[in-house]
Amino acid sequence: MFISTKGRYGLYFMTVLADNYNSCKRSVKSVAIERGISDLYLEQIVAKLKKANLVKSTRGAHGGYELSMPPEDISVYMIFKAVEENILVIEQDEKDTKNEKYLWREMRDAMSGVMKNTTLYDLITSPDEIEEYMFYI
């Protein structure tokens, strides 16, 4: 499974909004500066989040973006579904055996379950001691 920068930045933007839920709105530019990414690129991602009704915006001096619902109601799956073209794609080969196809389906379903059962609230309240890691297959 490959998570693109769209997915990563969309998730980061949403966790920032979750951290600020019911306290303040955030601009795309301020989040882009924090993350060190292009605000134009992040704006494209945020437009998809807005279209999926995960965020709402307010114009004006005290404007910006905020979550459209509580963090506990927004799953990681909802975020990735909004910004990624394809999520949890495991390509099958016509030479795959029945057992291999079963394994690919089980892996996809397991990842999907984790994403559907993990909310923004879970992410912002998880322990800070979690070490960074990468998986290589």
Side-chain angles (χ1 to χ4, degrees), residues 76-121:
V76 171
Y77 183 85
M78 294 165 71
I79 297 165
F80 281 103
K81 187 176 178 187
V83 301
E84 292 280 357
E85 292 175 20
N86 295 302
I87 53 175
L88 302 175
V89 174
I90 298 176
E91 292 185 21
Q92 292 186 19
D93 187 291
E94 67 268 359
K95 296 177 186 174
D96 285 347
T97 66
K98 188 176 185 179
N99 292 339
E100 289 169 328
K101 289 178 184 178
Y102 169 80
L103 175 63
W104 306 148
R105 185 178 61 247
E106 289 296 307
M107 288 173 59
R108 181 202 61 216
D109 292 348
M111 290 294 294
S112 178
V114 169
M115 291 171 61
K116 287 178 179 178
N117 291 306
T118 304
T119 67
L120 283 176
Y121 181 80

Side-chain angles (χ1 to χ4, degrees), residues 21 34 39 44 47 50 78-79 82 90 101 107 129 137:
Y21 187 67
E34 280 177 16
D39 58 328
Q44 293 172 13
K50 188 174 180 182
M78 294 165 71
I79 297 165
I90 298 176
K101 289 178 184 178
M107 288 173 59
E129 304 88 44
I137 297 175

